[in-house]
Amino acid sequence: MAGKYDATASKIMTLVGGTENVSSLIHCVTRLRFVLKDTTKADREKLAQTEYVLTVLDSGGATSSRSW
C-alpha cells in the first residue's frame, strides 16, 4: 500500500536532480535538507510549486525545502 506522501516524495527527488545528485539528505519536522552534487540540476521553480512545499532555500551548497 502506497503512503500518503509517496508521489510527492518521488516528485521532489526528481526535481532535485534524482537520487544520484543527492550527497546527503537530513529531515526535521518541517524541512528536508539536501546537499546536492550539482545544484544546477535542481529545478527550484517547479520544486517551489510542488504540493506541500512552502519554500525552497539555498544555503552554502545545501538546498532546503520547507514543507507544510
Side-chain angles (χ1 to χ4, degrees):
M1 181 172 172
K4 180 178 177 180
Y5 302 107
D6 287 357
T8 302
S10 179
K11 184 175 183 178
I12 289 171
M13 289 306 296
T14 299
L15 293 173
V16 297
T19 56
E20 63 279 351
N21 193 39
V22 177
S23 292
S24 69
L25 169 63
I26 300 168
H27 65 88
C28 67
V29 174
T30 61
R31 287 181 177 77
L32 297 173
R33 291 186 179 105
F34 293 90
V35 176
L36 303 177
K37 295 174 185 174
D38 182 353
T39 57
T40 64
K41 290 183 178 180
D43 190 335
R44 294 186 63 217
E45 198 170 300
K46 285 186 182 175
L47 187 57
Q49 295 171 0
T50 301
E51 184 178 24
Y52 304 115
V53 174
L54 301 177
T55 349
V56 177
L57 306 167
D58 289 324
S59 176
T63 299
S64 292
S65 70
R66 186 168 163 244
S67 306
W68 340 202

